[in-house]
Each structure stands twice: as C-alpha cells, then as structure tokens.
Amino acid sequence: MKIRRTKIFITVVAMVMTVSCFAQQYPSRLTEHEQQIESIISSMTLEEKIAMLHGKNMFSSAGIPRLGIADMEYADGPFGIREEMEPHSWNSLHLTTDSATFFPTGSALAATWSTDCAYAYGRAISHEARLRGKDMLLGPAMNIQRIPTGGRTYEYLSEDPLLSGFLAVAYTKGSQDEGTAVCLKHYALNNQEDYRGFVDVRISDRAMHEIYLRPFEMAVREGDAWGVMAAYNKVNGRWCSENEVLLNTILRQQWGFPGMVISDWGGVHSTVDAVTAGMNVEMPGERFMGKPLLDSVMAGKVSEDVINQRVREILRVRLTVKPIAKEEANRIPTGNPAEMATALDVARRAIVLLKNEHLLPIDPKRTKHIVVVGENAITKMALGGVGAGVKTKCEITPLEGLQQLLGNQVKITYVPGYKRYAPENPFKRESPIQPADKKLMAEAVKAAKRADIVLFFAGDNREVETEGSDRKVITLPSGQDELAEALAKTKKPIVTVVVSGGPVDVSTVDKVSGALVVSWFNGSMGGQALAEVLTGKISPSGKLPMTWPKQLEDVPAYATGSYPQNTTNEQGDIFVGLVNNRSNDRSQQLIANYAEEGLVGYRWYDSKKEAVAYPFGHGLSYAQFNYSNLSVTSTIEGMNVSFTLSNTSSVDAEEVAQVYVSYPYSHIDRPVKELKAFKRVSVKAGEQKNVTIPIRRSDLCHWDEAAQTWMLEPGKITIKVGGSSDNLPLEAIAEVK
C-alpha cells in the first residue's frame, strides 16, 4: 500500500520533572481513612499487628476481630473466580454455589485492544468476587510476553507495555469501581515459568522501566491499584519479595503507591529484609513473617514503626473495601447471565482472522456439509494444567457453538483426528509433541472427502500451556501438522482454527489452509462467539497482541542466547513444590540476562528486519478499511492524531486503528517504531468516520538512567497510522520542542 506522508510541525513542550512527563496522578482512594487507621493501630497489640502480616488460611489473611476489622479474603485468579478451597489445603470444598464465569484469558482480552472491554471485564469479575465474599482479586496478570513459550503467556496481556498498561488500567478501574481490590501480578519481570523460583533477572534500568515496569506504573498511577503481588524471581540480585528498589524506591516512592504488597504463594525468603523492603503479607503461611518476625521486633532487629507502616498499608485497603459477612458469601450462585454476556462480548472482539482466501464467512446456502476435525473443537479450557482455573457451569465449545447456530441448516460431522495432550500426572510432564494417530487421521481424511468444507481445530490446550513450566517448542502438538497435510490431500477447502493462549508454529497449517483464525482460550461463551464469526453474523475484529514468529530461533530471548538457561537443577517449580508440601529452599541461582534490552517483540523484528509469520497488531476483517486525511494538532497533554477511516465494504465492522511513533533523529537508541496510541472504532458499511486519537506526553518519554526519571527528548518524530504494525499507510512529521 502506498504511504501517504504529510509534514506537520507541532510543538510539545519538553519538561524535566517526572510529574510533568507522566499522566496526572490523582489522590488515591486509599488515603481517605488515615485518622481512623492511626486510632486502630494505637489500639493494637504487637501480636495482633504481626498476625496481619501473614496468611491465616490458604486464601485469607487475618483482621482484628476485637476491633471489628475483618479478615482479608483473596480471589484466585485473573480470568475467573476459583472454587472454594479447604482452609489449609488445595482441596475443593465441593460447594454447589461456587461455579463462576470463565472469562477469556489475558491474551484474548488483549486481542480486543479495547479499554471498554477491559473495564467491563474487570467490573464483571469483581461482581462475582463480591458475591463470593472476596476482597482482593489476584489479577490482572500483566507481565510482558517476552517469550511465546511462556507457561503463562495465555494469562498475560501483550508484548507491548502501552497496550498492556492501558488494558490493565481499565481492568483495575472496573474491578475497584465494583468494590474488589486488584492485586497486580507478578511484580516484576516474571517472564518465564521455567526456574521462576530461583532465576535472577539482570536488566538495565531503562529497559526495566520502559518495557517491564511500565504497565505496573500505569496501573498504579492512573488506575489507583490497591494491591500488588511480588513475583517469585530475583531482579538484579534481590528477591522480588525483599527487593528494596522495586518495593520501596520505585513502587512506593516514585509511583506513590499507598497500598499493600502480598507475596506470591511461597515466595518469601526472609524476615527482616522482606518486611523492611515493603512486603506486607506473606502468603499463604507464616514461615518468615509470623513468629520469626515477632522475635525480630522483640530483639530490636525490626522497628515497630516499620510494623506499624506495614499494618497501615493493609488497613488502607481493608477500610476501602467493604467486607462481606461470611454468612452472606456464596449464597447467590455466580456465573450469571450478566457476567456471561460480558464474557461473550469480549470473546467476540478477541477472535483474530489471520488469513482469508475467500473461504469465510461460511454461507449455509452454499455449504451443506461441514466436517469438524480436531479434539480442540470439543475440549473445555476452563481447567487444566497447574495453577488457576475456573469451575464454570457453562462453557460452550466450538462444536457446540456451530451446532447451535447452523445445526438446522447444515450437516455437521465431527471426528477427533488426534488425541489431545492430557498427562496422567500434571506435575510430571511428557512432551506433547507426538506423531499423528494413524487410525484417527485416516478417519478424519475419510470424513473430509465427503465434506464441502473442513474446519480443522488445531492448537494447544490448558495442559500444554500451563503455569509452572514453559513450552519447549511452539510446534503444534499431537501430530497436528501431519494431520493437516493429510487433510490437504483431499483437495477440500480447509479453515484452520488455532486454539491457544500464545503463538504456535503455523507454517504447515498456513500452507494448506485457505483461512486461518485464532480463537484463544476464549471463555465460557467462546464457542458461540467463534460460530458467529465463522458464519459472518459478526465480522472478526481482534488484533494480535503479540508477534507470531516464524520460528523460535528468531525470538529475541532465544536469538541472544539468554533463554532457555542451562541448569542441572533437579528441584521442581516453587508453586508445584508448595502444593506437594516440598521445601521452599531456593539455594541454587540462575542468571537470566535480558540481552535484548528493550527490543522485545516487534521492536526486535523491526530492528533486525526479521520476517515473521504474523506481525503485532495484525488482524483481518470481512470489511475493507481505508485510512486518509491525517492531521496532527498540539494539545496541553501532548497531541491529537486525526484521520478519516472509511469502510468501503457492504459489511458493518469494527477496526482497531493503531498509532506508532519513530524517532529518526534521536540522540539515544530507539526502536524503529513504538506503539503510542490506539482506538477501536465501529464503522458501518459505506460509512466514513473522522477519528481522533490522543498521544500523551507521558507516552513519548524515555527513562533517563543518569537522572533516574522520565525525560522528554526534543526533536522531530514520525507519526504512523494504520491497521497493524506492518500496515501503516499514513505518516506525518511532528516536532517536539
């Protein structure tokens, strides 16, 4: 597409002070009870104070009963409220009222590129938390997707800090407006699951602030987040749970965070260092911050002023979040129509159309027999693997969604095609990369020959992508590539639907498929949403929140040799050890040197001119969009980018317009381009819309390591606008002075 360039010179005044280079921070709601808090603390015994600083049960920490201060109840996890557990174990209570909505997981939410969706998502999950008597939601999960193989890539949002940050802010506001505190996790740089319990991340200050801390900073300063969870790993030599730089210097002093920090489960390693560095609550037990902390205070190793401050930070949250009486919790079942509707709305906007050679949407007037191949068409994704899951009373699978929408018009035949990966022991994992099942493959080929079109459901499941371990490859599991090639020999048109939380190698299925769709782990209503997209009831509008590489060797962490790390360590994952009652000793250390610095994701591929399978921000539509008439004007907060977006088709649709900035004359190292703003726009068939997207001054700043603050560099910048990171038809020159 021809690039249209416009020279527009505007002025954005550069300021030196941190406050002027970041979006305005308003007073936190947590600071509205200071006098009451001081009165409470003065009435407490030292033993009562210490009791608040560690877990009481598996998902609660103590209040002060005699003073009317309720326990703090935590809700796991970020995409649905976990079922109720026994107080001191991981065993279910087997209630009939604790089913919940399975919301689309983090990468699916991020694929919507919608702050409205993120706000509604946070509000809906918070409502269910309140019905269940929960005070703090352990989410959003918002670490940067540094590697596509990450075991929690599906939980996290994006490889880009700005996209992650805007969505985390909206999620935070939605949750807390509904009454449940968030707990931002995992702070910080928990970007891998392998060895997360003893890896030491080494990174420059600039890359740390600009890429990995930026979403957390936005959620704290703009979203007024009330809770933060310290990660398992070390950063620059210190455990996150006792990292003075992360918890005090950055979080509390630079960002002004007044709330509480809890540990990841089993993630505390010391007493004095943890409490003085800013840790409020050790979860789930009291190994370090129970009696050892009391003894440390009595011995004069920890000042009671420090204890008072940690209690004060907890009480700020406790007095802001209205407690739910235990007899009121779990009376009304969760997973209700209003929350399911939110899950459906997010799921619809999350689905990404990667490729379409005139196969989609499916027209039931011309297509009379569909063969659905692949166990992912019938596999439920709310549970599986290690870590958080959702006991949901409703999860519409893709096959069910198609049957509900097309069952009276089209013959639908299902064949499994392959055996999904399902280890007998989730804690002892064999490779999911197995040869095709010859019998199942032959049955699938036989069925395909009789079809008008083949819908092949490929990808991973929640056993392949799981907390506690990273994938070793991005190859499709269970012989799916071999099956895809066999299906192609039937000469029938193939639509491949990739069900996954993160990137997979689509090189084979791309070659044999006329259309390629990513449906993610898309929640309770994911099957209905997918059927609506495949049949054209709605146009696909999701965009990739991460780059899909051609091969793992191209990924920056792999290309620089900084991941995977080599170790002879035999000790398993820290969380798995906690579940299995194994020791928390993390004596071995392993270095993760982030050699790519700030060149994560598309920043790296741009700089290396490395071809990718599908780029960051990519996503097709059944409509055609045209961008024109770019103009840029200065504002007090930065600049407004305005343009005309035209839907030149006969299909109503939504488009995610993306704004990138390049710094061709910068005196410091910069990526080729960086996302600086975006907006989801609904455009009816044949309609033209004038769209304005603001770029904030704070989002043009860089981290100055010498000054230890955000700085705005003067000079000319190039503004690029379009529908994905590699399709930016509009350009303008602006000047920052």
Side-chain angles (χ1 to χ4, degrees), residues 395-449:
E395 183 178 350
I396 300 173
T397 66
L399 180 60
E400 290 170 341
L402 289 164
Q403 289 170 334
Q404 290 171 10
L405 198 59
L406 292 175
N408 295 327
Q409 306 172 68
V410 176
K411 180 182 178 181
I412 299 175
T413 302
Y414 167 73
V415 287
Y418 57 82
K419 291 180 180 178
R420 66 183 178 89
Y421 175 66
E424 294 182 8
N425 182 351
F427 302 120
K428 186 177 181 182
R429 310 179 63 77
E430 62 273 11
S431 172
I433 308 305
Q434 302 291 338
D437 184 301
K438 301 300 183 183
K439 180 181 178 182
L440 293 179
M441 184 166 66
E443 291 173 353
V445 168
K446 182 179 178 180
K449 290 178 179 178

Side-chain angles (χ1 to χ4, degrees), residues 634-680:
S634 63
T635 66
I636 295 175
E637 295 298 324
M639 61 185 75
N640 281 339
V641 178
S642 300
F643 54 92
T644 302
L645 181 64
S646 305
N647 181 347
T648 59
S649 73
S650 58
V651 178
D652 296 347
E654 295 181 356
E655 167 72 333
V656 178
Q658 302 164 40
V659 181
Y660 295 80
V661 169
S662 297
Y663 301 83
Y665 307 107
S666 177
H667 297 292
I668 60 176
D669 289 336
R670 300 273 198 174
V672 173
K673 63 177 178 291
E674 296 179 287
L675 180 72
K676 293 301 179 185
F678 59 91
K679 188 173 186 179
R680 175 175 278 270

Side-chain angles (χ1 to χ4, degrees), residues 244-261:
E244 177 77 20
V245 173
L246 285 178
L247 299 185
N248 272 339
T249 303
I250 296 174
L251 180 63
R252 298 196 188 278
Q253 295 173 18
Q254 292 179 359
W255 301 350
F257 176 68
M260 58 184 284
V261 177

Side-chain angles (χ1 to χ4, degrees), residues 310-465:
R310 298 292 85 87
V311 171
R312 181 178 295 111
E313 289 152 355
I314 296 170
L315 286 173
R316 285 171 178 161
V317 179
R318 178 66 283 173
L319 296 184
T320 302
V321 177
K322 180 182 178 182
I324 305 294
K326 287 186 170 25
E327 59 270 20
E328 295 298 320
N330 289 297
R331 291 182 61 191
I332 300 174
T334 45
N336 296 312
E339 286 69 54
M340 289 291 179
T342 298
L344 175 59
D345 189 55
V346 173
R348 285 167 170 160
R349 288 171 168 81
I351 295 167
V352 180
L353 179 60
L354 295 180
K355 170 185 177 181
N356 189 21
E357 296 176 348
H358 309 294
L359 278 187
L360 295 176
I362 296 169
D363 184 353
K365 294 179 180 178
R366 294 185 297 174
T367 301
K368 294 302 179 184
H369 186 190
I370 298 172
V371 166
V372 175
V373 179
E375 277 213 34
N376 271 354
I378 63 168
T379 301
K380 296 180 184 293
M381 301 296 179
L383 296 169
V386 176
V390 185
K391 185 178 81 174
T392 184
K393 59 186 176 185
C394 171
E395 183 178 350
I396 300 173
T397 66
L399 180 60
E400 290 170 341
L402 289 164
Q403 289 170 334
Q404 290 171 10
L405 198 59
L406 292 175
N408 295 327
Q409 306 172 68
V410 176
K411 180 182 178 181
I412 299 175
T413 302
Y414 167 73
V415 287
Y418 57 82
K419 291 180 180 178
R420 66 183 178 89
Y421 175 66
E424 294 182 8
N425 182 351
F427 302 120
K428 186 177 181 182
R429 310 179 63 77
E430 62 273 11
S431 172
I433 308 305
Q434 302 291 338
D437 184 301
K438 301 300 183 183
K439 180 181 178 182
L440 293 179
M441 184 166 66
E443 291 173 353
V445 168
K446 182 179 178 180
K449 290 178 179 178
R450 297 194 293 265
D452 295 324
I453 191 170
V454 176
L455 297 184
F456 177 41
F457 284 82
D460 297 329
N461 59 33
R462 291 282 308 285
E463 299 289 354
V464 178
E465 298 184 44

Side-chain angles (χ1 to χ4, degrees), residues 202-358:
R202 302 294 174 86
I203 188 171
S204 71
D205 277 357
R206 185 180 172 203
M208 181 170 69
H209 279 273
E210 291 187 8
I211 303 295
Y212 296 96
L213 297 188
R214 185 64 191 283
F216 289 94
E217 181 175 11
M218 291 174 68
V220 168
R221 299 184 66 172
E222 300 173 40
D224 187 25
W226 298 339
V228 170
M229 179 186 289
Y232 283 132
N233 51 284
K234 285 186 173 182
V235 173
N236 292 331
R238 296 302 301 268
W239 296 111
C240 288
S241 60
E242 57 190 56
N243 195 306
E244 177 77 20
V245 173
L246 285 178
L247 299 185
N248 272 339
T249 303
I250 296 174
L251 180 63
R252 298 196 188 278
Q253 295 173 18
Q254 292 179 359
W255 301 350
F257 176 68
M260 58 184 284
V261 177
I262 71 171
S263 75
D264 206 337
W265 268 231
V268 175
H269 301 268
S270 67
T271 298
V272 176
D273 288 349
V275 75
T276 55
M279 175 62 59
N280 294 91
V281 180
E282 174 190 9
M283 289 299 295
E286 53 183 299
R287 178 181 178 187
F288 294 101
M289 294 179 68
K291 188 175 185 301
L293 181 54
L294 178 62
D295 292 343
S296 296
V297 177
M298 300 300 291
K301 295 180 180 178
V302 176
S303 165
E304 191 165 354
D305 288 342
V306 171
I307 302 300
N308 290 343
Q309 182 60 21
R310 298 292 85 87
V311 171
R312 181 178 295 111
E313 289 152 355
I314 296 170
L315 286 173
R316 285 171 178 161
V317 179
R318 178 66 283 173
L319 296 184
T320 302
V321 177
K322 180 182 178 182
I324 305 294
K326 287 186 170 25
E327 59 270 20
E328 295 298 320
N330 289 297
R331 291 182 61 191
I332 300 174
T334 45
N336 296 312
E339 286 69 54
M340 289 291 179
T342 298
L344 175 59
D345 189 55
V346 173
R348 285 167 170 160
R349 288 171 168 81
I351 295 167
V352 180
L353 179 60
L354 295 180
K355 170 185 177 181
N356 189 21
E357 296 176 348
H358 309 294

